[in-house]
Amino acid sequence: MDIGSTGTRWCLSDIETQILAEGTSTELRGPWAEASQALQGIKALITSMGHAPLLALVIGITGSDSKHAAELAHALSAQFDLALDRIEIMSDIELACLAHFEPGEGYLIYAGTGSIAGFWDSSLSFHRCGGRGPLIDDAGGGHWIARQALQHIWRSEESKPGSLQTMPLARRLCEAMQAFDWPSQRAWINQADRGKFGELALAVASEVDEDSEAILRAAGQALARLANTMVDNFGQRPLGLAGGAFSL
């Protein structure tokens, strides 16, 4: 399972690693403050697959750390009668890097709701750049793109009243939120989770105009910084790109 901020992708294989089923779910999202929150969603998804008892489970979760991973592993072990050594829980970027490259082979730049670069070296140590969350960084990800766009339209409205009605980018964002003034947008923002807020990036990129192009170009530059930092620290290697923000 790859559990991100906007949903989950999963696949089920047999012991020979032949894929039996795969799919997505928008019901199961991370991150969670408590392992119990994660357990209920994961249990429901696995139960819905309707296959034979599990032999092993590998999960990548956005925002996962060692403490939460250990708590969740013990809960899943009891729930599905799996030995702890048959359960592997890591961050979503760690899982994505292993899916793209052998250890020591290459760097992965991931840009979904947030942004991060990751690298497993040949000694199986994991290195990262970025991924500090929306309050500090995550530059180039969907949340950052949405934040930059909203900042831009409201600064434009402040300097030139009426811009909210005439600027194409502003109209697209207002329509996406179904909120056409500041009080209604503030209410929307306050109730939106990180993933839902980041989905506003789709409205930014749905049309190419001067404003959206500038924001997306800045996002690309921010993601390139992650790659360049990895190269500076660990040398030239193949580079992989993953995450929904790259489709923008």
Side-chain angles (χ1 to χ4, degrees):
M1 293 182 184
D2 171 19
I3 304 175
S5 297
T6 56
T8 293
R9 293 176 295 177
W10 59 270
C11 73
L12 181 71
S13 77
D14 62 17
I15 199 169
E16 304 298 332
T17 70
Q18 297 298 309
I19 301 300
L20 303 177
E22 57 187 321
T24 62
S25 170
T26 57
E27 300 298 318
L28 181 56
R29 305 182 181 194
W32 299 279
E34 303 292 339
S36 59
Q37 294 175 288
L39 176 63
Q40 295 308 311
I42 294 170
K43 176 185 174 183
L45 181 56
I46 291 175
T47 301
S48 72
M49 296 176 190
H51 286 266
L54 293 179
L55 298 178
L57 188 58
V58 179
I59 307 177
I61 306 176
T62 182
S64 177
D65 58 33
S66 57
K67 176 178 180 292
H68 287 127
E71 292 175 354
L72 181 57
H74 280 85
L76 289 168
S77 174
Q79 181 66 56
F80 293 103
D81 194 26
L82 277 176
L84 282 174
D85 64 1
R86 306 302 294 168
I87 300 173
E88 189 75 38
I89 300 176
M90 62 191 77
S91 71
D92 53 347
I93 183 63
E94 291 174 312
L95 178 61
C97 286
L98 290 173
H100 279 77
F101 295 114
E102 293 294 326
E105 182 183 359
Y107 310 122
L108 183 70
I109 312 301
Y110 182 86
T113 302
S115 65
I116 189 171
F119 170 55
W120 286 98
D121 67 23
S122 55
S123 64
L124 296 182
S125 294
F126 186 72
H127 307 276
R128 55 179 285 164
C129 176
R132 308 299 174 184
L135 293 179
I136 297 176
D137 196 359
D138 273 0
H143 192 285
W144 183 92
I145 291 170
R147 193 170 73 245
Q148 295 297 307
L150 287 170
Q151 180 186 95
H152 178 67
I153 67 171
W154 282 108
R155 288 185 176 182
S156 298
E157 174 67 19
E158 290 162 359
S159 61
K160 188 179 179 181
S163 296
L164 210 64
Q165 284 71 46
T166 61
M167 185 186 303
L169 175 60
R171 290 201 304 270
R172 296 198 301 276
L173 290 168
C174 289
E175 289 171 1
M177 292 183 283
Q178 285 297 291
F180 300 89
D181 56 27
W182 175 240
S184 56
Q185 286 196 15
R186 178 176 58 194
W188 188 96
I189 291 167
N190 287 338
Q191 62 82 38
D193 61 25
R194 188 166 67 110
K196 184 176 180 181
F197 186 93
E199 288 175 354
L200 290 177
L202 296 171
V204 178
S206 62
E207 293 181 22
V208 178
D209 54 45
E210 183 179 353
D211 297 309
S212 62
E213 183 177 9
I215 292 168
L216 294 173
R217 185 176 297 276
Q221 292 169 340
L223 297 174
R225 185 197 71 84
L226 298 177
N228 285 326
T229 300
M230 282 295 188
V231 171
D232 289 344
N233 288 336
F234 304 107
Q236 291 281 353
R237 282 181 170 83
L239 179 68
L241 309 178
F246 284 109
S247 68
L248 306 180

